[in-house]
Amino acid sequence: MAKRNAIILAAGKGTRMRSKLYKVLHQVCGKTMVDHVLTQLENAKIENIITVVGFGAKTVEEQLGHRTHYVLQKQQLGTGDAVMQAKDLLANEDGETIVVSGDTPLFTAETFEKLFQYHEQRHAAATILTSIAPDPTGYGRIVRNEVGIVERIVEQKDANVKEQAIHEINTGVYCFDNKKLFAALSKINNDNAQGEYYLTDVIGILKNAGEIVTAYKMADFDESMGVNDRIALARANKLMQARINRHWMQEGVSMIDPETTYIDADVQLGKDTVLEGNVVIKGHTVIGNDCYISAGSRIIDSTIHDAVKITSSTLEDAEMHNGSDIGPNSHLRPAAEIGENVHIGNFCEVKKAYIGANTKVGHLTYIGNATLGKNINVGCGVVFVNYDGTNKHHTNVGDHAFIGSNSNLVAPVNIAQDAFIAAGSTITDSVEQYDMAIARARQVNKKDYAKKLPW
Ligand code: UD1
Ligand code: CA
């Protein structure tokens, strides 16, 4: 097998996106478009990957790191000029080079593999990956002769009426004999409607030089779609969403309404987990087996172990251990860690806090900067008062403590294990084991006084 190289074209600004963000950095299911392309090239086991950067070069390099080499295209003079920037790194290499645009996020490693095989079997100098577009507007068209042999690619803006009627499009992915690619590139010019150096012109040049040029027509146009504007971006998201959901259903996840279930590309889900509709799971979230996630839940960069139940709640950078549950309408913020079989009920917020096994936090509670032991009962409306206006302070609550409803625990403060806080207390001093703390004004009942009031 010949050595396989790849070039990702990612230097364009993406004017049609009308965005301050460079086009290839727009996300599809939580991952930048260029990262999708790179991931699939990696999956296709390509050894040498070069990314052409220009606009937003620094940001692209930061995002992709050492997974690829980089070359800089200082001025965006066209896709042919972009590939030319890889000349110093590649022109003398033997083997094959696949060129892919950074704005075609749906291509799979399998398709790249098929393209290589098609190319190798035909001993071609160039193989274009093509597809049949229901609406080919905007794409380069594949011009074939009377017997169906590929002659050249013509860009939308350079195409005559007859050529514009062609539905077979250039997906922007090609496989080249590496040395022949760079030899042909030195012959392109910018004499066209856009005044750009087109990579597509290489096809006609190789053809005229008597080289074998073929086209591998892939079956699924959707996979080949290019994203040039926000409308296409939304469609790419939809298609990727359907692909991701299909994958997880095949892996044993149940989805009540996959159409409205949004799972980012890098999320992991366990078997027999059930997702209702209108669930959003983002970032690097990992969810275990046998979980139930109800409608209205939004889970970002969190780790959820097995048999966890999440009802209409929001989780960010949080962790929930086996058998715990939350919601409806609660919020776990960064560094909230919920122990095994913990119950977090409705309208609770937890931030930077560890809650030990079997503890119950039923209703209307804020827990921030705290460590709670096991088997604690936190009553309704408890506030961990963690902020003095300048600094955050920590609260510790020992195992089997009881925190009465509507209490304030003013940090820093320690509540020992087995301590009991009476309802309505504002606790500013630490409480020892088995002590009961009560910190509220005593009740006075004034006989018949209600009669004097205007009620
Ligand atoms: C290109 C193809 C077209 C094909 C379509 C498929 C050419 C001339 N046209 O058109 O035949 O149907 O892709 O999606 O190649 N880029 C650079 N430097 C540049 C210009 C572009 O790196 O100087 C990058 C862009 O960032 C982008 C990719 O190349 O990732 C394609 O450029 P774009 O302007 O989107 O080309 P299309 O008009 O879509
Ligand atoms: Ca494009």
Side-chain angles (χ1 to χ4, degrees), residues 187-370:
K187 296 184 186 136
I188 61 173
N189 62 45
N190 63 353
D191 183 13
N192 52 53
Q194 304 191 76
E196 287 186 2
Y197 293 90
Y198 291 162
L199 174 60
T200 45
D201 285 354
V202 161
I203 299 299
I205 290 169
L206 288 170
K207 185 78 201 171
N208 291 335
E211 297 287 354
I212 302 175
V213 174
T214 58
Y216 168 58
K217 203 189 287 175
M218 58 192 284
D220 179 12
F221 166 73
D222 284 343
E223 186 187 326
S224 74
M225 76 169 289
V227 174
N228 294 326
D229 58 27
R230 308 270 184 159
I231 296 157
L233 182 67
R235 176 150 175 77
N237 265 291
K238 268 281 167 220
L239 292 166
M240 187 68 85
Q241 181 202 327
R243 183 189 291 176
I244 291 169
N245 290 1
R246 230 175 7 249
H247 166 77
W248 288 117
M249 288 187 278
Q250 279 162 352
E251 289 292 311
V253 173
S254 284
M255 295 187 193
I256 308 296
D257 183 15
E259 295 282 298
T260 62
T261 302
Y262 303 90
I263 302 168
D264 272 356
D266 290 331
V267 166
Q268 298 288 325
L269 300 172
K271 294 199 191 330
D272 290 314
T273 281
V274 179
L275 309 179
E276 291 186 352
N278 271 316
V279 161
V280 178
I281 307 177
K282 297 187 71 64
H284 290 91
T285 296
V286 177
I287 298 185
N289 301 323
D290 303 307
C291 293
Y292 194 98
I293 319 288
S294 93
S297 296
R298 193 177 159 82
I299 306 173
I300 304 155
D301 291 325
S302 294
T303 304
I304 312 297
H305 296 263
D306 298 335
V308 172
K309 189 170 178 205
I310 299 173
T311 309
S312 309
S313 291
T314 298
L315 281 66
E316 310 160 74
D317 275 311
E319 181 166 3
M320 290 183 77
H321 290 275
N322 294 354
S324 57
D325 77 289
I326 186 169
N329 303 312
S330 283
H331 187 183
L332 298 185
R333 291 173 46 210
E337 184 177 348
I338 310 302
E340 286 192 14
N341 302 315
V342 166
H343 167 64
I344 310 275
N346 7 215
F347 303 104
C348 296
E349 176 179 334
V350 182
K351 182 215 80 169
K352 204 173 183 185
Y354 174 79
I355 301 182
N358 302 311
T359 287
K360 292 185 169 45
V361 185
H363 345 256
L364 299 157
T365 287
Y366 171 64
I367 299 177
N369 300 80

Side-chain angles (χ1 to χ4, degrees), residues 50-281:
I50 297 166
T51 303
V52 184
V53 291
F55 275 100
K58 223 177 131 238
T59 332
V60 176
E61 288 180 33
E62 274 165 16
Q63 297 240 346
L64 300 180
H66 297 299
R67 295 159 62 197
T68 158
H69 305 285
Y70 300 95
V71 291
L72 183 68
Q73 186 193 24
K74 289 203 189 75
Q75 268 186 299
Q76 278 57 58
L77 302 178
T79 49
D81 180 72
V83 172
M84 204 59 180
Q85 307 310 311
K87 190 176 163 200
D88 288 349
L89 289 180
L90 272 186
N92 297 319
E93 298 281 323
D94 284 320
E96 296 155 354
T97 295
I98 186 170
V99 177
V100 188
S101 294
D103 65 351
T104 49
L106 289 149
F107 279 114
T108 60
E110 294 76 57
T111 299
F112 295 149
E113 184 56 45
K114 282 183 194 158
L115 176 65
F116 274 121
Q117 280 171 16
Y118 190 95
H119 177 84
E120 284 163 13
Q121 281 158 8
R122 280 152 189 83
H123 305 287
T127 304
I128 314 161
L129 184 62
T130 73
S131 66
I132 303 297
D135 174 9
T137 313
Y139 289 97
R141 309 295 207 285
I142 307 300
V143 181
R144 293 175 182 263
N145 68 12
E146 322 71 63
V147 289
I149 290 174
V150 177
E151 301 230 289
R152 58 194 171 90
I153 300 172
V154 61
E155 288 305 294
Q156 169 82 30
K157 288 183 178 152
D158 302 293
N160 61 35
V161 179
K162 206 173 147 223
E163 289 161 342
Q164 282 183 20
I166 299 172
H167 280 258
E168 185 180 7
I169 59 116
N170 168 27
T171 65
V173 178
Y174 324 77
C175 186
F176 294 102
D177 172 283
N178 184 60
K179 285 184 172 161
K180 288 176 182 167
L181 164 65
F182 284 95
L185 266 178
S186 63
K187 296 184 186 136
I188 61 173
N189 62 45
N190 63 353
D191 183 13
N192 52 53
Q194 304 191 76
E196 287 186 2
Y197 293 90
Y198 291 162
L199 174 60
T200 45
D201 285 354
V202 161
I203 299 299
I205 290 169
L206 288 170
K207 185 78 201 171
N208 291 335
E211 297 287 354
I212 302 175
V213 174
T214 58
Y216 168 58
K217 203 189 287 175
M218 58 192 284
D220 179 12
F221 166 73
D222 284 343
E223 186 187 326
S224 74
M225 76 169 289
V227 174
N228 294 326
D229 58 27
R230 308 270 184 159
I231 296 157
L233 182 67
R235 176 150 175 77
N237 265 291
K238 268 281 167 220
L239 292 166
M240 187 68 85
Q241 181 202 327
R243 183 189 291 176
I244 291 169
N245 290 1
R246 230 175 7 249
H247 166 77
W248 288 117
M249 288 187 278
Q250 279 162 352
E251 289 292 311
V253 173
S254 284
M255 295 187 193
I256 308 296
D257 183 15
E259 295 282 298
T260 62
T261 302
Y262 303 90
I263 302 168
D264 272 356
D266 290 331
V267 166
Q268 298 288 325
L269 300 172
K271 294 199 191 330
D272 290 314
T273 281
V274 179
L275 309 179
E276 291 186 352
N278 271 316
V279 161
V280 178
I281 307 177

